[in-house]
């Protein structure tokens, strides 16, 4: 039985309401009032928002970083307001804020178009993605990445924040309009999404797909730098798909095989051919609950920076050759309840900075197992919980 539904058509905001929104974000703080010389220009800018609250919010966040009347007048008189856009005024206001960002930060923002709509992002994981793509400096790239994120968050390119006890944002989302804006700027040649799984991606570098349906890769897979596979619905077994990727994705830097618990039963093993991904920098296998072992060939990935094994509850051991992963900076094994120890060679990983829930033997001195004495070989690292 169908119920009657009512559609409410919302009117545009008044210029006064747009000014209130703009002022709220330009001058954060309950009692903070704008200087008189800025209020006049600010009210003029608010009329350009044409009653759209997202436009007023975006411009308000942009003006937060501008303190002089001359800077505000440059925003008011910017020719971008006059750009014809088939996407509407909101895109123009986003474009004003986008072009005001430093070039490296703009590149990080555009990369976010590779994530699915309504995707809940981990800030830590997002920064590691940026590092894997070479968008951040090395070796302090992670610190730079958080600075870039804070700048984008302050400009309202992210929203729906979750904040930890230290007052740090650790979870966020991107508004669908903002994501569409990023995708619009990158063009169809750079990013490819596969709802139909029959496509040509001869010019794409970043690929995102739903594993609930079969995927038919084209020859363009050889130039992909980024593959994100997620699941909506009942997932399929993907060992053959992984083998296909390993044999052909010659320049792949990021392979993200899981973004939610729904992918928990996608694979029981990782094909040996993974060693062919010589440029791989980030590998996410989290919540692969049936994964029991990793192949020794994984240890031939000398450029690998990030290995995420969170929630791999059946994983019993790590490869003995882990000490060969000389570029590894991040390792997470939280939730790997069957993993009782690390291999001895992990103590040689001098670039390893972030370790989550490390396991070390204290009851014996096995030459193949990582023990408490091996901690002496690490001079600098962060033990994360």
């Amino acid at each position: 039985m169908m119920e009657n539904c009512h559609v409410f058509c919302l009117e545009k905001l008044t210029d006064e309401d747009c000014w209130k929104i703009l002022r709220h974000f330009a001058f954060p703080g309950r009692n903070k009032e704008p200087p008189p010389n800025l209020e006049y220009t600010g009210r003029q800018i608010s009329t350009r928002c044409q009653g759209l609250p997202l436009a007023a919010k975006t411009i308000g966040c942009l003006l937060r970083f501008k303190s002089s009347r001359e800077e505000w007048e440059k925003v008011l008189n910017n020719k971008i307001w006059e750009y014809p856009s088939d996407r509407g005024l909101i895109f123009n206001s986003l474009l004003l804020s986008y072009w005001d960002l430093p070039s490296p930060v703009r590149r990080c923002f555009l990369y976010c178009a590779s994530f699915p709509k309504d995707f809940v992002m981990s800030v830590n994981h997002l920064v590691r993605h940026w590092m894997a793509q070479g968008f951040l400096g090395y070796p302090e790239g992670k610190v730079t990445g958080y600075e870039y994120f804070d700048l984008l968050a302050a400009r309202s390119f992210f929203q729906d924040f979750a904040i930890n006890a230290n007052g740090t944002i650790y979870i966020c989302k991107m508004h669908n309009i903002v994501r569409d804006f990023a995708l619009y700027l990158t063009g169809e040649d750079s990013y490819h999404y596969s709802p139909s799984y029959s496509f040509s991606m001869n010019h794409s570098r970043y690929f995102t797909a739903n594993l609930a349906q079969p995927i038919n890769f084209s020859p363009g897979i050889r130039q992909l730098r980024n593959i994100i596979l997620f699941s909506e619905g009942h997932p399929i077994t993907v060992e053959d798909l992984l083998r296909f990727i390993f044999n052909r994705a010659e320049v792949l830097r990021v392979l993200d095989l899981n973004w939610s618990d729904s992918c928990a039963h996608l694979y029981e093993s990782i094909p040996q051919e993974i060693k062919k991904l010589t440029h791989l920098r980030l590998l996410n296998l989290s919540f692969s609950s049936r994964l029991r072992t990793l192949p020794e060939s994984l240890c031939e990935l000398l450029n690998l920076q990030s290995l995420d094994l969170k929630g791999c509850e059946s994983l019993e051991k790590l490869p003995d050759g882990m000490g060969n992963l000389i570029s590894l900076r991040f390792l997470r094994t939280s939730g790997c309840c069957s993993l009782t120890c690390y291999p001895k060679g992990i103590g040689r990983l001098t670039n390893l900075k972030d370790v989550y829930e490390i396991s070390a033997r204290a009851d014996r001195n096995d030459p193949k197992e990582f023990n408490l004495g091996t901690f002496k070989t690490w001079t600098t690292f962060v033990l994360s919980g």
Side-chain angles (χ1 to χ4, degrees), residues 318-325 328 331 333 341-352 355 358-359 368-371 374 377-378:
L318 298 177
D320 291 333
M322 285 285 290
N324 296 327
L325 298 176
L328 197 65
L331 175 64
T333 57
C341 64
Y342 279 36
K344 187 82 170 182
I346 199 173
R348 300 197 303 269
L349 301 181
T350 56
N351 285 319
L352 194 59
V355 185
I358 191 168
S359 299
K368 291 186 177 182
E369 293 182 357
F370 183 76
N371 54 57
T374 316
T377 65
W378 283 352

Side-chain angles (χ1 to χ4, degrees), residues 197-211:
Y197 306 96
S198 178
F199 56 87
S200 174
M201 54 179 184
N202 292 329
H203 302 289
S204 299
R205 291 181 300 162
Y206 305 94
F207 175 74
T208 302
N210 184 352
L211 285 174

Side-chain angles (χ1 to χ4, degrees), residues 69-201:
R69 181 176 179 179
E70 290 74 18
E71 290 176 307
W72 281 49
E73 287 181 343
K74 284 183 180 180
V75 173
L76 172 63
N77 299 317
N78 198 298
K79 293 183 179 180
I80 288 179
W81 292 112
E82 310 301 330
Y83 282 4
S85 174
D86 57 350
R87 303 302 180 98
L89 177 73
I90 289 179
F91 269 36
N92 287 352
S93 62
L94 289 169
L95 196 60
L96 270 168
S97 188
Y98 170 79
W99 282 116
D100 196 62
L101 294 168
S103 178
V105 182
R106 293 201 299 264
R107 183 166 56 173
C108 290
F109 166 70
L110 294 179
Y111 179 80
C112 296
S114 62
F115 301 132
K117 277 191 174 184
D118 299 317
F119 176 70
V120 178
M121 301 181 185
S122 160
V123 177
N124 285 336
H125 201 60
L126 177 60
V127 170
R128 290 194 292 272
H129 266 252
W130 289 342
M131 288 185 64
Q133 295 296 342
F135 296 161
L136 309 177
Y138 186 85
E140 301 302 329
K142 186 177 179 183
V143 175
T144 304
Y146 289 122
E147 292 173 350
Y148 287 1
F149 173 81
D150 289 341
L151 184 55
L152 289 169
R155 300 294 185 96
S156 286
F157 286 111
F158 296 111
Q159 62 177 30
D160 296 348
F161 302 123
I163 301 176
N164 61 22
N166 297 323
T168 303
I169 300 171
Y170 69 96
I171 293 291
C172 68
K173 292 177 67 175
M174 179 173 280
H175 194 290
N176 285 343
I177 294 178
V178 176
R179 180 185 173 275
D180 289 343
F181 169 72
L183 190 58
Y184 174 78
L185 291 180
T186 60
E188 296 181 357
D189 286 346
S190 295
Y191 294 80
H192 190 95
Y193 304 88
S194 181
S196 61
Y197 306 96
S198 178
F199 56 87
S200 174
M201 54 179 184

